[in-house]
Amino acid sequence: MEGSSGGRFYSRNPTILVIGGGIAGLGAAQRLCRHQGFRTQLLEATDRCGGRIRSESAFGGVVEIGAHWIHGPSKNNPIFQLALEYGLLGEKEMSEENQLIEVGGHPGLPSVSFSSSGKDVDLKLVEDVANLFYTLLDQTREFLHMAETPVASVGEFLKEAIHRHLSEWTDNEETKKLKLSILNTFFNLECCVSGCHSMDLVALGPFGEYAMLPGLDCTFTEGYEGLTNCMMTSLPKNVILFNKPVKTILWNGSFRDEHSPKERFPVQVECEDGEKFPAHHVIVTVPLGFLKEKMTTLFSPQLPHRKADVIRKMGFGTNNKIFLEFEAPFWEPDCQQIQVVWEDTSPLIDVRAELQDIWFQKLVGFIVLPPMESAYVLCGFIAGHESEFMETLSDEEVRSSLTQVLRRITGNPQLSGPRSILRSKWHSAPYTRGSYSYVAVGSSGDDIDILAQPLPTDSLSSQFQILFAGEATHRTFYSTTHGALLSGWREADRLISLYDSETQQQKFKL
Ligand code: 6YU
């Protein structure tokens, strides 16, 4: 059957492959499977769905190895809506009150702040420093639609502003030094939020384009993966093929399927195990980290220069979690967050030292997880090259270093260290190669749109052979689960509209 939109490849029952079973891929597959006539198949490299949504049973409870919160759980957040539909949220998370809270995307203040010499840092001082930091961070939004910015990065902007403030501080020298050390922790925290090594790598102009939704960030009591599990089980049997890492996507071709020899397909996907899947359309949802590493072998012919260039330029960094399990808590019962402040550090001074000796200084602190069966668990956050270095260490090395850190900050050399640890290793994960995307210096929101553009771009008669989804392709919600889900829906809808308009045209012709 010939037709205009798919050109010589038009079929009433197109074969559509979705590559990757994260939330973007599952979202796309769900929509496509509801459309009668589409033959949809999802190829996932690993033995599970969820991707960077990954909950593990540990310490007698559930911990999140990847995504942690629903950012902005309110009516316009599709993750929140889906979680409601599947009945995965508690009373408090669903409450109107919770949905109306606006926090501007900033993490809450710590319940306690420890310095590296074992002193409690005054929480009023921490609050003042936080106010300064977030006021300056909010000022970055002013540069959104400006043709030029005074400096290239968010980091440089913040540091220049802090320099100016410094001269107005009337505190004694010791307090000034401590304030700079606290600011250093907030810089490190922002690296975790943005998923980057340094805020000097994050572009200033487009930073304000990231959009926040109202609602107090909330978690899934039974684990985030409950959501992707529900999506997965809603799909017809045999749609998902596990352990099918895609090696090459051949496009702009004319391929046959041995089961229907008369048909021709413009794309053929080849897996690592040699199996081949001809298709009319492929929705690629693999992470930007994977694209950066493999784009030259993943696509044949190679991606157009413009898209390859964007993939190279865009930012994709590492944010990891380290869970520490204790027999008894050393923190107060009402403590929710523990901040760690390294004295004698400052965002205005670059540290030059071996990662081996300082990696743990990038750890911003811990959130206290709800008590588990018979364990007390802290979840630490660490971003950047230090986080990637941490992945190369053994569990025992990490446990031992962090025991020393905890003894130092609590001023208690006898403190019992964690009895076990568990951590994420997103940089080494072969099908992820990092945590999430950011808009790096030298790139912009337009680059995100270029990444999202289907291929080929030049020929109307064979358009939409390869479509791109995944968190890094969402211009305003990149780095989040809701951005990823919306991107999967966007690409599924693109194909649905193509075939719906084609069907209309066919009807008019009759
Ligand atoms: C959020 C949060 N959160 C913490 C940590 C991480 C992330 N995020 P996927 O990777 O899921 O799926 C791709 C699949 O493809 C996968 O299954 C692969 O196996 C497969 N694949 C790859 N190659 C293949 C091949 N060759 N063949 C076949 N299959 C292949 N998001 O909303 N709340 O709390 C966090 C957090 C440690 C690692 C997060 C959070 C990010 C999300 O997890 C992530 O975006 C989505 O899950 C991605 O889904 P996907 O389907 O696209 O890919 C101004 C400004 C600042 C901007 N930042 C704001 C802060 C927001 C981020 N906050 C994060 C915080 C945490 C703690």
Side-chain angles (χ1 to χ4, degrees):
M1 164 67 67
E2 299 264 308
S4 60
S5 62
R8 62 206 164 107
F9 298 109
Y10 177 72
S11 160
R12 270 185 206 282
N13 304 107
T15 299
I16 304 171
L17 292 178
V18 178
I19 301 181
I23 194 145
L26 288 169
Q30 261 190 333
R31 284 222 169 164
L32 295 169
C33 285
R34 281 187 210 130
H35 196 271
Q36 275 199 345
F38 284 0
R39 293 171 286 180
T40 305
Q41 191 100 68
L42 187 154
L43 305 179
E44 165 54 43
T46 67
D47 60 1
R48 57 175 287 278
C49 272
R52 282 170 275 170
I53 293 178
R54 178 177 191 136
S55 314
E56 266 185 27
S57 297
F59 318 122
V62 176
V63 295
E64 304 295 358
I65 304 296
H68 206 103
W69 296 279
I70 304 182
H71 288 307
S74 48
K75 66 177 189 326
N76 290 329
N77 185 327
I79 294 283
F80 178 69
Q81 290 302 348
L82 212 51
L84 282 184
E85 233 174 81
Y86 290 129
L88 301 173
L89 296 178
E91 287 291 318
K92 188 167 164 280
E93 290 76 27
M94 291 191 291
S95 71
E96 196 70 26
E97 196 192 347
N98 214 72
Q99 293 180 50
L100 293 174
I101 297 175
E102 302 255 8
V103 292
H106 306 320
L109 289 172
S111 325
V112 60
S113 177
F114 290 124
S115 80
S116 49
S117 65
K119 294 186 199 114
D120 274 11
V121 182
D122 178 9
L123 286 180
K124 177 70 179 70
L125 195 66
V126 173
E127 194 182 334
D128 289 348
V129 172
N131 284 339
L132 168 64
F133 183 80
Y134 290 120
T135 304
L136 297 177
L137 198 66
D138 289 343
Q139 284 174 12
T140 58
R141 297 197 161 261
E142 289 165 18
F143 300 103
L144 181 54
H145 295 295
M146 285 190 188
E148 277 190 31
T149 54
V151 287
S153 72
V154 175
E156 288 162 286
F157 170 79
L158 292 173
K159 287 189 280 187
E160 285 197 359
I162 289 164
H163 247 302
R164 286 194 296 276
H165 276 263
L166 199 61
S167 58
E168 290 159 19
W169 287 355
T170 52
D171 318 88
N172 60 38
E173 280 311 304
E174 201 184 335
T175 310
K176 272 188 199 171
K177 275 178 76 181
L178 184 58
K179 279 166 85 168
L180 283 170
S181 303
I182 301 170
L183 273 169
N184 200 58
T185 300
F186 280 105
F187 270 74
N188 289 343
L189 178 58
E190 205 47 40
C191 286
C192 291
V193 172
S194 282
C196 61
H197 171 63
S198 157
M199 293 309 287
D200 290 357
L201 301 173
V202 181
L204 177 59
F207 192 61
E209 203 161 10
Y210 175 80
M212 265 88 67
L213 294 167
L216 186 65
D217 289 4
C218 67
T219 56
F220 290 79
T221 326
E222 307 291 327
Y224 225 125
E225 205 172 319
L227 181 69
T228 41
N229 284 343
C230 285
M231 294 171 80
M232 188 173 71
T233 46
S234 79
L235 293 174
K237 247 173 94 179
N238 302 329
V239 164
I240 304 179
L241 296 182
F242 290 102
N243 300 309
K244 279 282 167 211
V246 169
K247 189 175 170 203
T248 314
I249 302 166
L250 301 137
W251 57 292
N252 256 350
S254 179
F255 302 94
R256 281 172 205 265
D257 180 2
E258 59 188 50
H259 305 297
S260 51
K262 283 194 183 139
E263 249 184 313
R264 293 284 185 281
F265 300 84
V267 192
Q268 178 162 282
V269 166
E270 293 183 6
C271 291
E272 293 283 354
D273 63 6
E275 196 168 352
K276 296 180 173 66
F277 296 86
H280 294 95
H281 309 280
V282 175
I283 303 183
V284 175
T285 77
V286 303
L288 176 62
F290 184 85
L291 285 179
K292 277 177 182 286
E293 188 179 62
K294 296 277 194 227
M295 69 172 158
T296 51
T297 49
L298 188 62
F299 300 95
S300 177
Q302 298 268 317
L303 292 175
H305 287 307
R306 215 154 84 111
K307 201 186 276 276
D309 195 38
V310 157
I311 291 172
R312 273 190 289 271
K313 280 194 304 185
M314 283 173 65
F316 196 76
T318 305
N319 177 23
N320 272 311
K321 299 179 183 180
I322 310 177
F323 298 94
L324 305 178
E325 183 205 27
F326 296 86
E327 233 149 70
F330 63 83
W331 53 93
E332 298 296 324
D334 58 351
C335 177
Q336 292 183 349
Q337 270 191 56
I338 299 170
Q339 184 183 59
V340 181
V341 173
W342 286 88
E343 283 168 33
D344 299 323
T345 58
S346 159
L348 308 180
I349 300 169
D350 281 337
V351 180
R352 304 228 176 273
E354 292 295 318
L355 282 176
Q356 174 74 39
D357 303 324
I358 50 132
W359 69 267
F360 42 82
Q361 293 191 11
K362 194 72 171 274
L363 190 93
V364 292
F366 305 90
I367 54 171
V368 180
L369 299 189
M372 308 216 176
E373 232 164 59
S374 57
Y376 298 88
V377 183
L378 296 181
C379 171
F381 287 83
I382 181 166
H385 299 158
E386 293 81 353
S387 189
E388 290 162 15
F389 177 77
M390 179 277 296
E391 292 188 21
T392 66
L393 300 174
S394 69
D395 276 358
E396 189 42 42
E397 283 169 313
V398 174
R399 195 180 77 88
S400 158
S401 292
L402 294 189
T403 302
Q404 298 309 320
V405 169
L406 293 174
R407 287 180 179 161
R408 244 181 109 158
I409 64 171
T410 55
N412 175 5
Q414 312 301 328
L415 186 96
S416 300
R419 67 178 171 200
S420 73
I421 76 161
L422 177 71
R423 62 208 157 114
S424 59
K425 293 182 183 172
W426 288 106
H427 181 68
S428 339
Y431 298 109
T432 318
R433 307 299 278 132
S435 296
Y436 35 89
S437 63
Y438 61 91
V439 183
V441 170
S443 60
S444 68
D446 287 348
D447 292 335
I448 298 180
D449 289 344
I450 291 172
L451 178 63
Q453 241 172 40
L455 294 174
T457 45
D458 52 353
S459 155
L460 271 183
S461 64
S462 59
Q463 62 185 341
F464 302 165
Q465 291 176 28
I466 310 182
L467 303 95
F468 293 83
E471 56 86 10
T473 69
H474 198 287
R475 185 163 179 150
T476 54
F477 292 141
Y478 58 86
S479 77
T480 64
T481 53
H482 51 281
L485 177 59
L486 287 170
S487 74
W489 287 350
R490 178 191 69 215
E491 296 311 315
D493 288 347
R494 203 191 289 272
L495 290 177
I496 291 167
S497 318
L498 176 74
Y499 282 88
D500 284 353
S501 67
E502 185 63 38
T503 311
Q504 286 301 326
Q505 283 175 28
Q506 298 289 336
K507 271 188 198 154
F508 283 125
K509 277 184 200 160
L510 290 175

